[in-house]
Every structure is written in structure tokens, then in C-alpha cells.
Amino acid sequence: HLRTAGREPADYVLAKLAAHDLVMVGEEHQVRESCLFVAGLVERLHREAGVHLLLTEFVRSRNTHRLNQLLTATAWDAEAIHEVMRDWAWPTWGFREYRAILRAAWEVNRARAEGEPAFRVVGLDDEWDQYEYAWSDMSRKEKFDLRLKREAHLVAVAQREALDEGRKALVHIGFSHTLTGHGIRFGTVLTKNHGERVFQVALHAKLPARGGPAPITGFLEGVWTEAGARPVGVDVVAPPLAPLRDDACVLWHYLAGKRFEELAQGYVILAPLTELHETSWIPGFVNEAQFERAKAVALHARLATEADGASASALDAALRRRFPPPEEAGAPEGGAGDPE
């Protein structure tokens, strides 16, 4: 199936956008190769597919107008882009690879011909804040209601900006939001409302089980290796992948039919898990204005120690050590859209 039906990953995603109006690419967060894959898609979306819209979880919707002013400006303003990135729910999301996606959109707009539509990046997220969510005195019900509100906001923005207007769009978002059969999740609601206009693609990641990766993760990598170990995108919503089952995977508890096709409609393997790398830090991302929030989140998530929290610059240096640049982390130098 991988040899005969699989396609090069970018070609696979573009083919899905030709057949559907909105394609969700669901990532495991903070994977360098996943972000650079999305960044590399931007120009092909614009030039080849006529798709000029990327919806992203990693920007608040209130910043969409400001962001697109920056993405259509003559010069790249990294610090202004950082201010948009800082105003997200997570104050410690200062990663170069997520910035690379925005840089790729700016590059496309800088090179576009007169009269050609601009490539737009639309923020999906709402006003929730990880700092307040984790350290406020909200009850469990209030926190659950906040999550419901957030999911509804993601849906509303996607419908308003893309589906209701008849615009095709790529969505870059966390994998769990893309599930098409799980309660009020983003992907579930959009699929119920719009049917086959919506398609989900999961990027290869460690599917969780108690104590480590679920057996299906190793099974998929083994089959992929036997098929040649080339990056591939392939449909799951058909045999032989559709009926696969792994009761050890904790996600299976949320599936009605206990089939792999309920987790993913399409699947992209860029590399084996051992060759995927964490994202890398933007030096100077932590500033005085966000220091207290960033320190609280970094300590809670064990990204830094109390000793690292003496100042904004000390915390920033600690996060750079925790998320080193590719050359220090043993990652390949290649990538798209972000030479800084």
C-alpha cells in the first residue's frame, strides 16, 4: 500500500487540497521537521495549488490583521513578528521553526506579481492563557468550560475565514484537535458540519501508551522501512491501514470502532522518530514584559530551574540551552523560509 498508493508528502497534501476545501495537518508539538514541512508547503500552496490561506493554532485570532500587515510589508520585521508570537497562550513558544512558517509566507508575498493575491496567515486561537489556566483558582468545571470555549472559537474562525467564504485553506494545528470522531473537537465539528469538504492528515508521531510509545508506532515504522524508508503520505481511510487496532494506545479509548481510520484519514511519515528533532529557541525571545509569565510556565513545565529565573536574560539563556540551535542539537541544517 505504501509503495503503490503512497506519494511524496508535499504532493500528497496538495492532492488532498485539490479534492477537499480544508485540509488539517495535525502535528505533535515542537518537532522541527514538522514545522519545516509546513513552511516548505507555503510557496507550493500559493504557486501551484492556488491556495492563499493558512490557518494556524499558534497565533491568536485577534492578531491576524497585524500579522498580515507584517507579512505583506516590504521588509521583514523580526521583532514585530516576535511580538505577535509572544502574545499567544504559551509565553515560552519562542521557536525558530514556527517563525519559519511566517517567514515563508512573507517570502511568497515579497515575490508575488502585481495583482496576485497575498498569502494570508490567520490565527485560530482565542484569549485563553496557559499561565492563568494553570495557576488561577478556577475549578475543574471552569477549566473544562474554558477548553470547550476554545475549541468552539477554533471552529468559528475556520468557518468564517475559509469554509463559509468558499476559500480553500491548509490548517496547521495540534493533532488532538484534528480528530474527526471525538466529541466537540475542532476536526469533529467541522467534519459533521461540512462532510468531505474537510480532510485530516496526521504527521507521524509517537502514539502514546502507558510506559512508552504504542506498538502501532513501531509497526508503522517497520512497514515504512520495508517499503523503502522514503518520506510518504498515504490514505488511511481504506484497507489495509483502516482496520488496524492497538488497544495499548491510550487514544484508542476515545474511538467508537477502535480502528486506525478513526485517528487519521491520511498519514505522513517524514522520518522515523529517532530522526525527528525538537524545535530551537529564538535568542532574546523572553523579554521583561513577559518574563514573569514565561518564568512561571518554564518552571512548571520543568524547562528551567529556579536558578534560571533571576532575570529575563537568564531565563532566555536557559531556554536556549534547553532548545539549542540545530547545529548544537545534532539536527540537519536544511529547512525552509527562516535564515535568521
Side-chain angles (χ1 to χ4, degrees):
H1 182 61
L2 291 178
R3 291 192 189 102
T4 60
R7 304 184 65 171
E8 188 278 328
D11 290 343
Y12 178 76
V13 172
L14 292 180
K16 292 305 169 188
L17 273 165
H20 308 273
D21 292 335
L22 188 144
V23 173
M24 304 174 288
V25 173
E27 67 158 28
E28 180 180 26
H29 291 326
Q30 296 173 219
V31 175
R32 180 175 192 260
E33 288 76 10
S34 297
C35 290
L36 296 183
F37 172 65
V38 174
L41 278 172
V42 168
E43 183 174 7
R44 294 194 62 187
L45 289 170
H46 187 72
R47 300 288 179 211
E48 299 176 31
V51 175
H52 314 293
L53 186 59
L54 172 69
L55 310 181
T56 177
E57 176 189 356
F58 310 103
V59 173
R60 281 190 169 128
S61 59
R62 72 184 182 195
N63 290 322
T64 292
H65 178 70
R66 173 59 177 153
L67 176 61
N68 284 284
Q69 287 180 322
L70 296 170
L71 296 182
T72 53
T74 303
W76 171 252
D77 189 339
E79 184 53 32
I81 290 289
H82 296 166
E83 284 302 309
V84 171
M85 294 175 66
R86 288 180 184 117
D87 185 35
W88 190 49
W90 287 84
T92 55
W93 211 266
F95 299 118
R96 296 198 297 182
E97 291 77 8
Y98 288 90
R99 183 181 65 184
I101 298 168
L102 305 180
R103 174 82 185 206
W106 177 80
E107 295 277 5
V108 161
N109 286 330
R110 183 179 66 163
R112 77 184 194 275
E114 185 177 352
E116 191 176 16
F119 190 92
R120 295 180 67 237
V121 178
V122 169
L124 285 172
D125 216 346
D126 73 353
E127 306 305 305
W128 84 287
D129 186 278
Q130 179 63 24
Y131 177 79
E132 294 176 0
Y133 182 83
W135 289 280
S136 73
D137 58 359
M138 286 190 294
S139 66
R140 290 181 64 183
K141 181 183 184 305
E142 287 172 326
K143 290 185 176 183
F144 183 72
D145 289 343
L146 183 63
R147 293 172 64 190
L148 295 182
K149 177 178 174 290
R150 182 191 181 208
E151 213 75 24
H153 184 87
L154 300 174
V155 170
V157 175
Q159 294 200 157
R160 180 180 72 241
E161 294 285 347
L163 291 161
D164 290 349
E165 296 297 321
R167 301 187 187 108
K168 286 182 177 280
L170 183 73
V171 179
H172 181 212
I173 195 168
F175 166 69
S176 62
H177 294 287
T178 69
L179 296 177
T180 59
H182 183 202
I184 49 78
R185 281 296 197 180
F186 174 78
T188 302
V189 175
L190 290 181
T191 300
K192 286 180 178 177
N193 290 347
H194 300 283
E196 292 189 0
R197 292 183 65 192
V198 178
F199 191 83
Q200 174 222 26
V201 176
L203 297 179
H204 180 57
K206 180 177 67 177
L207 294 171
R210 288 184 177 86
I216 192 172
T217 304
F219 171 78
L220 291 170
E221 284 200 0
V223 172
W224 175 73
T225 299
E226 290 181 15
R230 291 183 296 273
V232 67
V234 68
D235 283 350
V236 174
V237 287
L241 293 175
L244 288 178
R245 177 175 177 145
D246 183 355
D247 290 338
C249 178
V250 297
L251 297 176
W252 250 255
H253 301 306
Y254 303 105
L255 306 180
K258 310 299 183 186
R259 294 163 62 91
F260 187 31
E261 65 180 339
E262 294 176 82
L263 278 185
Q265 294 178 323
Y267 203 77
V268 163
I269 301 179
L270 300 172
L273 296 183
T274 55
E275 295 179 17
L276 298 178
H277 302 84
E278 281 190 310
T279 47
S280 55
W281 190 251
I282 298 170
F285 189 81
V286 175
N287 61 15
E288 293 295 338
Q290 65 158 172
F291 169 54
E292 291 299 334
R293 292 173 61 251
K295 176 181 175 180
V297 171
L299 292 178
H300 181 77
R302 299 181 180 178
L303 301 176
T305 66
E306 285 285 354
D308 297 322
S311 66
S313 60
L315 179 61
D316 191 81
L319 290 169
R320 186 189 183 281
R321 291 192 298 272
R322 172 61 184 80
F323 300 103
E327 61 272 17
E328 295 178 15
E333 286 285 354
D338 195 16
E340 295 182 75

